[in-house]
Amino acid sequence: MTTDLKGRIALVTGASRGIGYFTALELAKAGAHVIACARTVGGLEDLDDAIKAAGGTATLVPFDLADMNAIDALGASINARWGKLDILVANAGVLGVISPVGHIEAKVFEKVMTINVTATWRLIRSVEPLLLKSDAGRALILSSGAPHSCRPFWGAYSTSKAAVEALARTWAAETEKTALRVNSINPGATRTAMRAQAMPGEDPDTLPHPSEVAAALLPLTSPALTETGKIYVVRDRKFVSYRAPE
């Protein structure tokens, strides 16, 4: 079944490469107008070229997610131009370092928390009123398997993604009686620059391409989606529920 997003407005962060790039492209191919955010102007311009070649449209917004005032201004700008937002894909994130918890430099840990957690919260705060104006707002918050496995040396990243999932679950519970659906995404190991940074000895050709992940995410932005407050496991192509510790 195809996903028809004609007339819908989608915001994607971290859209200059990897999962964000290909998700933005899939959304545009499905008819959505994509607001593409990232720090890398060149990557955004490449995305714009690909979207235009596919017959889609995009608005490029280059900025650093560490700039909280820019995140606040983004919501205001979207409201002034379109008056609503239908889809949020909060994809941008950083790994930090693979290191024992006690050896992580304070500035590194703080950057991971700023980009992965604080900026995600600020983004939610900025665009929630716009998503609630949509007849079927959809929010996908990119997470990972890391907060569930808590592997040694992944402390900064795992901690940040655990916090992001808590944000998404809380937000989903708060908006359960509205038309907004909020879910976390576990994309699994994917052929991205972040994965190469974390696992430099791994053969990238053994991993799914980010375009495969993007194709799996597209139906989750559909107005027909009913699930909220769950995590979608891309590898298994299914939603799973959270549960309390045993």
Side-chain angles (χ1 to χ4, degrees):
M1 181 179 293
T2 58
T3 301
D4 184 1
L5 300 178
K6 291 183 180 65
R8 306 194 80 76
I9 308 299
L11 170 63
V12 182
T13 65
S16 63
R17 63 181 183 179
I19 294 171
Y21 177 102
F22 287 99
T23 300
L25 182 57
E26 286 289 330
L27 290 167
K29 287 179 179 178
H33 179 79
V34 176
I35 304 164
C37 303
R39 288 182 304 166
T40 310
V41 175
L44 288 178
E45 291 175 342
D46 289 344
L47 171 65
D48 191 43
D49 290 343
I51 286 176
K52 286 178 179 175
T57 61
T59 297
L60 308 183
V61 185
F63 75 99
D64 191 331
L65 276 175
D67 185 346
M68 301 300 160
N69 290 329
I71 296 176
D72 294 345
L74 179 62
S77 297
I78 294 171
N79 184 58
R81 183 165 177 182
W82 293 284
K84 66 161 188 172
L85 181 66
D86 299 294
I87 298 162
L88 167 65
V89 182
N91 164 76
V94 295
L95 175 68
V97 294
I98 303 300
S99 169
V101 169
H103 295 182
I104 302 170
E105 291 184 75
K107 64 180 181 181
V108 173
F109 189 87
E110 289 164 4
K111 179 180 179 180
V112 171
M113 298 303 286
T114 295
I115 300 299
N116 295 2
V117 184
T118 307
T120 300
W121 159 72
R122 196 82 170 227
L123 187 63
I124 290 169
R125 192 181 74 155
S126 184
V127 304
E128 180 188 48
L130 300 170
L131 287 165
L132 291 173
K133 288 183 179 181
S134 172
D135 61 342
R138 300 291 177 259
L140 305 183
I141 312 298
L142 269 288
S143 184
S144 167
H148 308 287
S149 62
C150 291
R151 296 171 59 182
F153 313 119
W154 286 65
Y157 186 71
S158 296
T159 299
S160 71
K161 289 302 183 180
V164 165
E165 288 191 15
L167 269 176
R169 292 176 66 188
T170 303
W171 189 26
E174 291 171 351
T175 57
E176 187 176 9
K177 298 187 184 301
T178 73
L180 176 59
R181 307 287 87 182
V182 179
N183 292 289
S184 295
I185 305 297
N186 175 7
T190 308
R191 199 184 314 166
T192 62
M194 182 185 290
R195 181 70 183 187
Q197 178 188 353
M199 307 288 285
E202 187 174 54
D203 180 359
D205 291 334
T206 63
L207 303 176
H209 191 270
S211 61
E212 298 175 56
V213 174
L217 298 188
L218 183 64
L220 310 186
T221 65
S222 168
L225 182 81
T226 58
E227 288 84 354
T228 194
K230 296 185 177 181
I231 184 163
Y232 186 79
V233 182
V234 172
R235 180 182 59 190
D236 299 330
R237 297 297 195 273
K238 69 176 184 180
F239 281 100
V240 295
S241 299
Y242 288 95
R243 63 182 185 184
E246 297 174 350

